[in-house]
Amino acid sequence: MAMFGRKRGNGASNTLGAGGSTTLGAGAAPSGFEAEALGYLDSLYGTALRLTRNEADAQDLVQDTYVKAFRNSKQFTPGTNLKAWLFTILHNTARNRRRDSGRDPVDVDSERLELSSHADPAATPEEQLLRAAVGPDLQAALDALPEAFREAVWLRDVEEFPYAEIAEMLGIPVGTVMSRISRGRRMLYETLAAKNLESTATKLSS
């Protein structure tokens, strides 16, 4: 179950805002495939923004994703999960960009994460606090997570993808996905708990 308590709508426009647009020409009517794919524009952009943390880079990433999706639409199997297919293209494109720029994310020790996640006794308090913290504080805490954890938590708790689909998107084992999500949630919980304590202390001292 997603922690953040909301589901992004799919009713996106055919533009990426001020700086970007899809590959459809002016006045061109989208095909059925294109129209359905464009319905996930907001979700793709939100994820791209979390990956890049830069609006212009996020717009470029989504633009490239749609270019590749439309050019390779025949590779998509009708009746399967189009959203997951688009997100796989998005993450592959992001990884290729990082590799080309020499900015590969730091490798994560999945075995160490497995141990830490299994030893975590605070799952219920984490869920309670994270659900209550929807808003700027949670967004800031999520953006501050290391990339490997941030993308896994976002895909599971915001976009609500199953673990198996996330594993396929990111090219990692399901166990590693679960570990990253568990550790990412724990890091969010610790950040938000500390902020709540700081806020309470400030109020008491004023």
Side-chain angles (χ1 to χ4, degrees), residues 140-164:
L142 183 61
D143 286 342
L145 287 177
E147 183 175 327
F149 303 115
R150 185 173 69 251
E151 65 181 358
V153 171
W154 180 270
L155 289 172
R156 177 59 184 163
D157 289 335
V158 177
E159 296 301 338
E160 299 184 0
F161 282 111
Y163 293 114

Side-chain angles (χ1 to χ4, degrees), residues 13-199:
S13 66
N14 290 354
T15 64
L16 299 180
S21 61
T22 65
T23 56
L24 296 178
S31 67
F33 171 84
E34 290 172 342
E36 184 179 356
L38 288 170
Y40 298 112
L41 192 152
D42 283 349
S43 291
L44 287 166
Y45 178 73
T47 299
L49 194 58
R50 286 296 170 276
L51 289 172
T52 63
R53 290 185 280 192
N54 178 282
E55 290 186 1
D57 289 343
Q59 290 176 358
D60 287 345
L61 179 56
V62 174
Q63 177 85 357
D64 286 351
T65 296
Y66 275 110
V67 168
K68 292 177 180 179
F70 292 162
R71 286 177 178 172
N72 298 284
S73 60
K74 292 183 179 179
Q75 296 181 13
F76 174 71
T77 303
T80 59
N81 192 335
L82 177 57
K83 183 179 180 182
W85 188 73
L86 292 170
F87 270 71
T88 299
I89 295 174
L90 179 82
H91 280 86
N92 286 341
T93 303
R95 278 198 297 273
N96 290 337
R97 285 186 169 197
R98 288 194 299 263
R99 184 164 52 246
D100 292 344
S101 64
R103 293 186 292 110
D104 282 336
V106 177
D107 289 336
V108 178
D109 186 340
S110 59
E111 182 178 356
R112 177 166 52 84
L113 291 179
E114 293 276 2
L115 294 174
S116 67
S117 66
H118 291 172
D120 178 14
T124 299
E126 286 173 20
E127 290 185 6
Q128 292 174 347
L129 181 58
L130 290 176
R131 288 194 186 108
V134 175
D137 287 346
L138 179 56
Q139 294 292 339
L142 183 61
D143 286 342
L145 287 177
E147 183 175 327
F149 303 115
R150 185 173 69 251
E151 65 181 358
V153 171
W154 180 270
L155 289 172
R156 177 59 184 163
D157 289 335
V158 177
E159 296 301 338
E160 299 184 0
F161 282 111
Y163 293 114
E165 289 186 353
I166 296 173
E168 185 175 353
M169 290 176 202
L170 302 182
I172 57 179
V174 172
T176 302
V177 169
M178 297 175 69
S179 296
R180 292 184 183 182
I181 291 170
S182 177
R183 181 56 180 159
R185 287 171 175 171
R186 179 64 183 175
M187 294 167 72
L188 285 173
Y189 171 77
E190 292 170 349
T191 299
L192 293 169
K195 187 173 184 61
N196 283 353
L197 287 174
E198 181 182 351
S199 176

